[in-house]
Amino acid sequence: MKKLQFVLIPAIILVIGGVAFSFLFEDKHVAKGRKVFSRYCTPCHGDSGRGDGYNAKNLDPHARDLTDGTEEYMAKLTNEEIYEVIEQGGYGVDLSAGMPTWGKHFSEEEIWSLVAFIRTLHSYDGPPVIFDKEKPYQTARPRTPPVQEAEFVSLFEEKVSDDDGRQEMIDQGKEVFVDRGCVACHQIDGEGGELGPDLSRVGFMLQPQFIYRWVRNPLSFKPHTRMPNLDLSDEEALAVTIYLSTLKGSSEEVQKAEPHRSGADPLQRRS
Ligand code: HEC
Ligand code: HEC
């Protein structure tokens, strides 16, 4: 009996200690993935990855349950497939564009860390993500130069020559807003996601050149923004900008509100 206690008590201490301190001993890449996930992914995928974040109700199809709670799905994907969907977004791999594109936002190492963390959310016995010391993944985030106002002006002059051209752009912009997944994070007139600000009056609040520059490269304004660079083409960005610029809210609201007139960057006002 004494002998058994000798074994049992330390074993119990080990198990309890192991659970309590598992966060401390967590693999450094899994820990990094957990941190990135909790800032950028939980609004849709939920704190524990079940697909039940506060923005989930606005998504159709739903954000994937990464825990495989009801069906075996994630476990059947390869690490490379998970990497690819994070890098290219649903749009890039023929899934819903409600899953954003993160390849212009995170470093290679951050995306692989996300894959390593996601593997801890469901039961999986395939090959782990290898962080090879011989050939480490790119740790710097992709650097996209800030977009200048002149770029917007010349593109606008080139593509929008008359009212018909403008109307075409507005129609195309509406499609971009849905097809590229802006709608998963932003509401317009009560429809869409709540991760980002409501854009129903954005055409009144922000000048087109700022909308264009922001959409093309949000990180150049705010390195920690939750809005990724969705890698739009010049023309898609122009179209969505022109569409958003037409959204000014009701005329009554417009009279009450204070527009942004200063030449300073209006996006700075958000934290
Ligand atoms: C705006 C909401 C939203 C955010 C933010 C979001 N996701 Fe998703 N995600 C989705 C949706 C919606 C799907 C389901 C796509 C489908 O099945 O067509 C999905 C699917 C996935 C899948 C499954 C892909 C597959 O092959 O079926 C993975 C993995 C994933 N997301 C990872 C992430 C990670 C990592 C982040 C954070 C960097 C993230 N998601 C952020 C909405 C989101
Ligand atoms: C993953 C969610 C997400 C997606 C997808 C997304 N945004 Fe955003 N967006 C945000 C967040 C969050 C902010 C607030 C930025 C901040 O303060 O960091 C924002 C800010 C903006 C703003 C500035 C609004 C203001 O009042 O300051 C505009 C304009 C905008 N987004 C347009 C777009 C367009 C166009 C698309 C699609 C091409 C898009 N967004 C896709 C999350 C998203």
Side-chain angles (χ1 to χ4, degrees), residues 12-56:
I12 289 169
I13 291 173
L14 267 179
V15 169
I16 294 173
V19 171
F21 289 104
S22 61
F23 282 106
L24 290 179
F25 296 125
E26 189 170 64
D27 173 89
K28 94 172 190 233
H29 287 105
V30 171
K32 179 180 265 184
R34 179 191 294 283
K35 202 169 152 211
V36 174
F37 189 89
S38 78
R39 174 161 174 80
Y40 295 92
C41 320
T42 55
C44 298
H45 288 282
D47 287 340
S48 44
R50 287 202 196 95
D52 56 358
Y54 68 82
N55 193 40

Side-chain angles (χ1 to χ4, degrees), residues 3-236:
K3 242 189 195 155
L4 195 63
Q5 275 177 2
F6 260 117
V7 181
L8 225 69
I9 292 170
I12 289 169
I13 291 173
L14 267 179
V15 169
I16 294 173
V19 171
F21 289 104
S22 61
F23 282 106
L24 290 179
F25 296 125
E26 189 170 64
D27 173 89
K28 94 172 190 233
H29 287 105
V30 171
K32 179 180 265 184
R34 179 191 294 283
K35 202 169 152 211
V36 174
F37 189 89
S38 78
R39 174 161 174 80
Y40 295 92
C41 320
T42 55
C44 298
H45 288 282
D47 287 340
S48 44
R50 287 202 196 95
D52 56 358
Y54 68 82
N55 193 40
K57 62 178 187 300
N58 302 310
L59 303 170
D60 181 21
H62 283 306
R64 171 66 52 188
D65 173 0
L66 302 172
T67 69
D68 280 359
T70 50
E71 56 169 327
E72 193 189 28
Y73 178 90
M74 292 305 299
K76 291 187 192 153
L77 300 181
T78 64
N79 295 334
E80 288 71 23
E81 282 168 333
I82 299 177
Y83 184 95
E84 202 185 3
V85 73
I86 300 172
E87 182 195 37
Q88 298 181 21
Y91 176 81
V93 300
D94 276 341
L95 289 173
S96 161
M99 166 61 192
T101 301
W102 300 98
K104 292 257 160 177
H105 196 101
F106 295 129
S107 71
E108 235 177 72
E109 193 209 14
E110 282 173 310
I111 300 180
W112 280 116
S113 299
L114 281 165
V115 178
F117 168 67
I118 287 170
R119 282 306 191 199
T120 67
L121 298 175
H122 49 267
S123 58
Y124 168 74
D125 49 21
V129 179
I130 309 279
F131 292 89
D132 192 347
K133 287 201 181 65
E134 303 297 311
K135 188 180 165 290
Y137 294 119
Q138 183 67 256
T139 54
R141 288 187 172 180
R143 243 179 263 148
T144 314
V147 175
Q148 303 303 323
E149 196 168 316
E151 240 176 87
F152 170 77
V153 174
S154 68
L155 190 68
F156 187 90
E157 281 167 2
E158 183 196 325
K159 304 269 181 189
V160 189
S161 46
D162 54 17
D163 279 355
D164 282 353
R166 197 177 111 87
Q167 189 56 48
E168 253 172 55
M169 279 287 165
I170 294 172
D171 295 342
Q172 194 187 330
K174 270 185 203 168
E175 284 171 23
V176 170
F177 194 79
V178 173
D179 295 349
R180 300 304 304 263
C182 317
V183 70
C185 293
H186 292 287
Q187 289 206 349
I188 291 177
D189 296 337
E191 248 179 66
E194 297 164 279
L195 208 166
D198 188 316
L199 298 180
S200 305
R201 294 166 61 245
V202 70
F204 178 65
M205 302 305 285
L206 301 177
Q207 296 175 327
Q209 57 268 38
F210 286 116
I211 299 180
Y212 181 82
R213 294 173 61 208
W214 167 263
V215 168
R216 289 294 309 280
N217 193 348
L219 293 185
S220 69
F221 290 89
K222 283 190 184 176
H224 300 293
T225 180
R226 285 188 174 91
M227 172 157 158
N229 175 346
L230 293 170
D231 204 17
L232 301 192
S233 69
D234 292 358
E235 192 168 323
E236 287 171 317

